[in-house]
Amino acid sequence: MPAPASAAKIESLRARVAEIREHAQELFQQGANGLQTATVLADGLRQFAVDVWMEALQSAGSPEIVSRLEQYSAVVAVGGTGRGELAPYSDLDLLFLYQPSVQADFMRAARAATQDLWDSGLKLGESKRTLRDSIAFAIAEPQFATSLIEARWLWGSQELVERLQRKFERSVIRKRRSAFIETACVGNRQDERTKFGGAVQQLEPDVKSSWGGLRDLHLLRWVGFAFFGSRDIDSLRLRGELSREDARSLIEAQEYLTKIRIDLHFAAGKAHDRLTRDEQLRIATERGVERTPAQSPVELFMQEYFRHTTAVADIVSRFIARHRQPPWWRRFYDLLMMRRQDGCFLVGAGRLTVARSQQDTVCSDFLLVLRLFETAARQHLEISPRVLEHIRLASPNFSRAIMAEHSRVFLSILDQRGSLGKTLRAMFSTGVLEVLLPEFTRIRNLTQFNQYHHYTVDEHTFQAVERAEAFENASGPIHAAYRGTNIKWLLHLTVLLHDIGKGQVEDHCLVGERIAETVAIRFGLTEPHRKLLMFLVRWHLEMADVALRRDTSDQRCLSKFTHLVGSPEWLTILYLLTVADISAVGPDIWNDWKAGLLNDLYDRSMLLLSGKMPGFLEQERMRVARDHAAVTLAPPQATQAERVQLVTWLNQHLLEFPAHYLAGTSVERITADLDIIRRLQPGEIIVEGNFDPGTDTVDYRIVTDRQHAVGCFHRIAGTLTSQRLEILSAQICTTQDGTVVDVFRVRDDDFAGPVPPDRIAAIGQAIRRVLRQEIKVDELFQRSKRFRWQSPKPPASGLPNRVSIDNDSSNRATILGIFAHDRPGLLYTVSRAIYRLELSIDLAIIATHLDQIHDVFYVTDRAGQKLTDEARLASIQLELTSTLAEFDATGHQRFIG
């Protein structure tokens, strides 16, 4: 071991290092660029290392020993030190190379030199090896292997260093090229990228090691050297391996990133490669970046930063993808498995490509390019890098006029799952996505300078798409909601557009809404889908805001939110969009707490908007109801055959009921209803009335068969209203065989306490008479004129009337949503209007919240078919809206006087 250095020597060594750094900093502050400064630092520190080595040789012994060392050993700069690109506080990477014959003397000098270098305050990356050891270690250790590519002689035997370089190229590169590229270069770099953030646009990037950073430029050198013996960008350009445009982009990025890294080191006074938010603010200020009305200086600075890193990541990835070659046997197998598809595509072994003879034809035809991406998304294939490169070069020449077939194929791409995010990223990198969505250009590399977002807007958007398509394989309510929507393509399009309005002065939700309308028109979306797309982009933050910041148990809050959303399908898509958006903000942002709050809001709102509870426990609910009914309804003396017959009957009739009935009705009540249905005679009408002292309300339950089903809902509602009953809620369902089970909860203000049985019986008799058409509802109203009803109070919520139409949530019915102020006679008026529009109500959920009613009607035409004609749907919406307006104006008066 060398003797400890004196304090004076250590101080001298550190002063010399400080002098090198101060000289470089002075040049930097005077305007030297990043690469010039890095070269000055590298030259100075390499010379310092040689000087220290020469001083250490004095301990090696006689001049003869020093001469032998100079002949049979060498000091070699490797890694960044050999490359000549050092930041102020970079590691000093050295290889002390020797032949075994001088090992003892060489090791004594090397130990002394390394001790002095450590004492100088430098962080040293060094090893002491023979030529054979160096080659063996390079084969075993990827980082050492890549550092040897940059080997540069500093002192000693140049012939020994040249032998090292020749043997390294022969034994590590040429003989093991595939393993070297895949493991030492690409694999090792991929691990490093993951460690420092897996996305190019992580908002606090590591300038050296994050994706698109300086290390990717080093990766290009290593792979270029392995393939062509060329380590620099210009050499690769001259060989034709890089285009002039790509080479220029890389050179600009290298300078830009090097300058920032040097700035970070000098500012911190230590090795510091992370571009933190504080450093972003400092650099943007020092560079005098001027704000725009829409973006702050730091956001503009970081957008420029990500423009460079994205270019680096893209160019290097393309370069490597073009030159990576699978083993010969794999290429032979792929050739055997290759099949032709759609006339011009070749598919095989997970890869999609185009025959070289047809490459120019395919890549210059925008429709064929879109079909290529569609095939890749549908079959989860990787598109050949060669083909992607040709598409990238051709895309600036594509016409921006979008034809109907272009739209159809793009929407088909958006309907895929499993590879959608990857496909859209490929479309983005080649410029194809911006042909379809030129608005996407404005969010490329766009930053949001806050503590919440971790990625640029474009990266966040693609991550959100990937989160959304992953719902296919999720569990619980998210999976059930995703599986239940019939318009997944619209969800994916919405996710793609939800932040498209960012980077403008105006609220990005409002800007995005207008862009969404333009996009909907461009792609020929139907009017309902256009409105839904605009709504989702406009209100994509609302559900998270309500769930995470407000009391969703407050009926006023819940009523306002459901009034805004309006339909089950809109709610489901908004819920999925919200989850995708939050979970794509950054690592660990989505958590169980947020999931619970959003799920609760979704469940509460879905119950109001559709009367349905979430469906993922529906089968279990049906089983429990069947088992309870089988035990309860079977007589004690029933035979086994009779019990089997009963279970068969129960299974059949439970399947007849809609899902909301099974989910929202107790098993005891289901059993009682099944018992009534089992005993029901043709044409019979059963009316049960039960007073609930806890709420001072009466539940009227009406069960009848299809003979009285047509128009029964508005007749029952009218009957109850004519008897001065305030309908608080109603739930009707019609089984598939036409059996009606309707439940109305009412308040009877004619009685201060319990409602007498004779009053309940009279109401039941009135309902039966109306359904049998022995008396008309209008006659009942006339008879009630002698009673004076209390006039309703002015509305408190201030929410406007609204009629929504949802034609996506149900495969068998169209869903009408009615939002209005609660007044006597409203339900009767609306349901009668629906009847007069020649619609049948299969399911209705009626609810009152404060002074707002939210009525949901599942309707079909009189033939039982779902409504599909857009003109008729528009007419229905207009007629019901007019009915509400007329009712508010004067129509309600006939029910209160």
Side-chain angles (χ1 to χ4, degrees):
M1 292 291 294
S6 66
K9 182 178 181 181
I10 292 174
E11 183 178 354
S12 173
L13 289 169
R14 295 190 173 185
R16 289 160 65 184
V17 171
E19 184 179 356
I20 294 169
R21 287 173 176 155
E22 288 168 3
H23 174 59
Q25 186 170 14
E26 183 179 349
L27 292 174
F28 189 68
Q29 291 171 344
Q30 290 175 354
N33 66 32
L35 291 173
Q36 289 170 338
T37 306
T39 300
V40 168
L41 283 163
D43 288 344
L45 290 173
R46 286 191 300 232
Q47 186 57 53
F48 173 70
V50 172
D51 292 345
V52 168
W53 171 256
M54 297 302 293
E55 293 172 10
L57 282 178
Q58 297 176 7
S59 64
S62 65
E64 290 78 9
I65 293 176
V66 172
S67 177
R68 276 175 51 78
L69 291 178
E70 192 169 6
Q71 186 176 359
Y72 297 111
S73 65
V75 178
V76 185
V78 295
T81 308
R83 192 167 51 247
E85 298 173 5
L86 288 184
Y89 294 90
S90 293
D91 294 358
L92 188 67
D93 297 322
L94 299 173
L95 169 64
F96 294 94
L97 185 66
Y98 65 94
Q99 293 196 24
S101 61
V102 296
Q103 179 174 357
D105 294 328
F106 182 82
M107 292 299 288
R108 184 164 55 252
R111 282 192 292 266
T114 54
Q115 182 63 58
D116 286 347
L117 290 170
W118 280 110
D119 287 344
S120 72
L122 292 171
K123 186 176 180 181
L124 202 59
E126 60 86 19
S127 60
K128 307 174 184 70
R129 302 185 183 280
T130 65
L131 190 151
R132 176 178 292 180
D133 290 342
S134 296
I135 298 303
F137 193 59
I139 292 172
E141 175 51 52
Q143 288 185 329
F144 183 68
T146 53
S147 76
L148 285 185
I149 291 176
E150 315 289 359
R152 178 189 181 106
W153 173 88
L154 294 182
W155 174 92
S157 172
Q158 294 191 37
E159 190 273 335
L160 181 61
V161 175
E162 289 169 359
R163 283 172 56 199
L164 170 68
Q165 292 171 325
R166 289 194 301 271
K167 193 167 184 61
F168 171 74
E169 290 183 38
R170 183 174 63 251
S171 301
V172 180
I173 302 296
R174 288 201 295 272
K175 287 185 177 179
R176 305 180 69 258
R177 180 179 283 113
S178 178
F180 173 77
I181 291 172
E182 294 301 320
T183 303
C185 298
V186 178
N188 191 48
R189 176 61 184 131
Q190 185 59 51
D191 292 342
E192 187 178 42
R193 284 173 175 169
T194 302
K195 176 181 176 182
F196 287 92
V200 179
Q201 299 94 335
Q202 192 168 14
L203 293 190
E204 285 195 331
D206 186 288
V207 178
K208 178 184 177 184
S209 299
S210 288
W211 207 348
L214 288 165
R215 187 63 88 193
D216 275 348
L217 290 166
H218 303 160
L219 176 62
L220 180 73
R221 290 174 62 90
W222 304 335
V223 176
F225 180 78
F227 276 119
F228 311 110
S230 300
R231 283 176 291 206
D232 61 83
I233 296 168
D234 279 335
S235 296
L236 291 171
R237 179 183 63 80
L238 291 173
R239 290 184 59 93
E241 303 301 333
L242 286 174
S243 68
R244 185 180 300 275
E245 176 188 351
D246 283 350
R248 182 174 63 252
S249 296
L250 291 174
I251 291 170
E252 290 176 357
Q254 183 180 27
E255 165 57 31
Y256 185 88
L257 296 174
T258 300
K259 188 171 185 178
I260 289 178
R261 187 182 184 213
I262 289 171
D263 191 330
L264 292 173
H265 279 226
F266 278 137
K270 61 181 180 181
H272 180 68
D273 296 332
R274 177 72 69 179
L275 188 53
T276 63
R277 295 179 188 275
D278 288 342
E279 289 300 292
Q280 293 170 24
L281 283 168
R282 176 185 65 79
I283 294 174
T285 300
E286 290 179 356
R287 293 189 175 191
V289 180
E290 295 185 4
R291 70 168 50 251
T292 68
Q295 289 180 271
S296 67
V298 67
E299 289 172 337
L300 290 165
F301 163 64
M302 289 306 295
Q303 188 170 19
E304 181 183 44
Y305 175 89
F306 287 122
R307 178 174 64 81
H308 286 295
T309 56
T310 301
V312 169
D314 177 56
I315 295 168
V316 173
S317 295
R318 286 192 281 109
F319 177 85
I320 292 173
R322 285 199 307 273
H323 295 99
R324 289 170 81 178
Q325 289 287 339
W328 68 267
W329 58 267
R330 180 59 184 268
R331 296 197 298 273
F332 180 70
Y333 175 77
D334 290 351
L335 185 63
L336 289 178
M337 298 299 295
M338 194 73 70
R339 69 182 189 278
R340 188 172 292 275
Q341 181 166 323
D342 297 333
C344 51
F345 304 155
L346 298 175
V347 177
R351 178 65 65 88
L352 177 62
T353 188
V354 176
R356 290 183 182 273
S357 61
Q358 294 182 292
Q359 185 168 265
D360 290 340
T361 301
V362 171
C363 294
S364 60
D365 186 316
F366 188 52
L367 181 57
L368 288 177
V369 167
L370 288 179
R371 287 176 177 164
L372 181 78
F373 282 114
E374 181 189 25
T375 301
R378 187 175 61 250
Q379 300 187 25
H380 312 306
L381 300 171
E382 296 273 357
I383 299 177
S384 159
R386 167 177 57 82
V387 174
L388 287 176
E389 181 70 6
H390 275 74
I391 293 172
R392 187 185 67 83
L393 294 173
S395 63
N397 299 319
F398 289 145
S399 170
R400 265 49 182 174
I402 304 302
M403 302 293 104
E405 186 63 11
H406 298 151
S407 299
R408 187 200 66 75
V409 178
F410 181 51
L411 296 181
S412 173
I413 291 171
L414 290 173
D415 204 34
Q416 307 306 316
R417 277 87 73 192
S419 299
L420 176 59
K422 184 183 295 185
T423 300
L424 289 174
R425 286 181 184 273
M427 293 173 69
F428 186 51
S429 68
T430 55
V432 170
L433 186 62
E434 285 161 298
V435 176
L436 295 159
L437 295 170
E439 299 86 355
F440 218 84
T441 303
R442 70 183 64 188
I443 64 169
R444 185 183 281 271
N445 301 316
L446 182 65
T447 62
Q448 304 164 89
F449 191 74
N450 55 54
Q451 294 298 323
Y452 184 60
H453 287 89
H454 290 241
Y455 307 109
T456 58
V457 178
D458 52 344
E459 176 62 23
H460 161 74
T461 298
F462 290 124
Q463 294 217 14
V465 170
E466 288 161 351
R467 298 298 194 284
E469 64 174 320
F471 294 159
E472 182 91 15
N473 301 313
S475 60
I478 294 176
H479 171 67
Y482 188 76
R483 182 184 59 192
T485 181
N486 297 317
I487 46 174
K488 294 179 178 65
W489 64 268
L490 194 141
L491 166 65
H492 299 150
L493 178 60
T494 303
V495 175
L496 200 59
L497 297 179
H498 78 283
D499 276 347
I500 199 75
K502 287 193 171 178
Q504 308 296 307
V505 176
E506 191 179 357
D507 181 346
H508 79 280
C509 297
L510 298 175
V511 177
E513 181 183 31
R514 293 196 295 272
I515 294 174
E517 182 175 27
T518 301
V519 170
I521 294 170
R522 181 184 306 149
F523 295 141
L525 270 57
T526 63
E527 183 72 5
H529 288 155
R530 179 184 67 82
K531 289 181 177 179
L532 176 54
L533 182 68
M534 292 171 62
F535 166 82
L536 291 167
V537 174
R538 167 66 180 87
W539 296 103
H540 72 271
L541 300 176
E542 186 68 15
M543 192 169 189
D545 187 59
V546 172
L548 306 182
R549 296 177 179 85
R550 301 182 202 169
D551 180 8
T552 57
S553 65
D554 181 346
Q555 287 298 321
R556 189 181 302 273
C557 170
L558 198 60
S559 180
K560 185 176 180 182
F561 175 70
T562 53
H563 182 279
L564 172 70
V565 178
S567 83
E569 182 70 9
W570 287 32
L571 174 67
T572 296
I573 301 293
L574 180 60
Y575 166 66
L576 294 169
L577 169 62
T578 303
V579 175
D581 187 16
I582 294 176
S583 58
V585 165
D588 303 322
I589 296 297
W590 179 249
N591 54 43
D592 290 343
W593 173 74
K594 290 176 182 175
L597 291 176
L598 271 168
N599 292 344
D600 181 66
L601 176 59
Y602 177 63
D603 291 348
R604 290 172 182 266
S605 301
M606 183 58 75
L607 190 58
L608 293 180
L609 289 170
S610 70
K612 295 181 180 180
M613 293 297 290
F616 54 93
L617 296 177
E618 184 180 317
Q619 294 300 318
E620 176 63 15
R621 180 70 171 170
M622 185 179 295
R623 185 191 65 77
V624 171
R626 182 202 61 210
D627 292 349
H628 184 274
V631 171
T632 305
L633 299 181
Q637 69 277 14
T639 65
Q640 181 63 27
E642 290 171 332
R643 293 180 185 276
V644 170
Q645 185 179 13
L646 174 61
V647 169
T648 302
W649 185 90
L650 291 172
N651 282 331
Q652 175 187 344
H653 282 75
L654 283 169
L655 288 172
E656 299 280 347
F657 280 105
H660 84 278
Y661 171 85
L662 297 171
T665 309
S666 70
V667 292
E668 292 80 10
R669 186 64 253 182
I670 293 173
T671 298
D673 287 343
L674 288 168
D675 192 33
I676 292 172
I677 293 170
R678 190 169 60 142
R679 301 174 186 276
L680 193 68
Q681 298 300 311
E684 186 178 8
I685 302 170
I686 304 295
V687 181
E688 293 182 354
N690 294 292
F691 176 74
D692 181 358
T695 59
D696 285 332
T697 60
V698 180
D699 280 353
Y700 288 96
R701 194 173 203 90
I702 301 96
V703 182
T704 189
D705 61 13
R706 66 170 61 248
Q707 182 176 331
H708 301 296
V710 177
C712 71
F713 181 79
H714 82 271
R715 293 190 175 101
I716 296 171
T719 302
L720 295 173
T721 303
S722 74
Q723 303 304 299
R724 304 167 308 284
L725 301 178
E726 181 185 358
I727 301 175
L728 301 177
S729 66
Q731 179 171 317
I732 77 161
C733 72
T734 303
T735 67
Q736 293 182 29
D737 67 355
T739 302
V740 172
V741 180
D742 293 356
V743 184
F744 290 79
R745 172 161 290 192
V746 303
R747 179 175 290 114
D748 194 336
D749 289 329
D750 285 1
F751 300 90
V755 178
D758 60 341
R759 167 69 166 172
I760 293 175
I763 298 296
Q765 181 60 23
I767 291 172
R768 281 189 286 269
R769 292 189 66 199
V770 168
L771 291 182
R772 291 187 184 119
Q773 299 188 40
E774 297 170 359
I775 188 172
K776 294 182 178 181
V777 173
D778 289 345
E779 294 179 47
L780 292 177
F781 276 115
Q782 290 299 319
R783 294 182 183 184
S784 298
K785 285 292 185 180
R786 64 182 181 273
F787 298 98
R788 193 72 181 175
W789 291 351
Q790 183 178 2
S791 297
K793 297 178 181 178
S797 65
L799 296 173
N801 294 335
R802 183 181 175 194
V803 178
S804 69
I805 296 181
D806 175 358
N807 224 19
D808 293 309
S809 291
S810 172
N811 291 324
R812 64 178 181 82
T814 298
I815 304 173
L816 305 179
I818 309 293
F819 301 82
H821 304 300
D822 187 28
R823 298 180 188 224
L826 176 61
L827 178 59
Y828 170 63
T829 300
V830 170
S831 56
R832 185 175 60 175
I834 293 173
Y835 176 74
R836 288 178 174 174
L837 286 166
E838 298 186 343
L839 303 176
S840 295
I841 301 174
D842 289 349
L843 165 64
I845 309 297
I846 311 303
T848 304
H849 304 282
L850 301 174
D851 67 334
Q852 276 278 305
I853 63 102
H854 179 197
D855 299 348
V856 177
F857 301 94
Y858 284 63
V859 300
T860 62
D861 61 21
R862 291 291 171 83
Q865 299 300 309
K866 182 177 178 178
L867 307 174
T868 57
D869 183 78
E870 291 189 19
R872 188 179 182 195
L873 289 170
S875 176
I876 290 169
Q877 188 173 38
L878 179 61
E879 179 65 27
L880 292 176
T881 302
S882 299
T883 297
L884 293 176
E886 189 277 331
F887 184 84
D888 280 349
T890 58
H892 66 282
Q893 293 176 356
R894 67 181 181 273
F895 298 106
I896 61 175

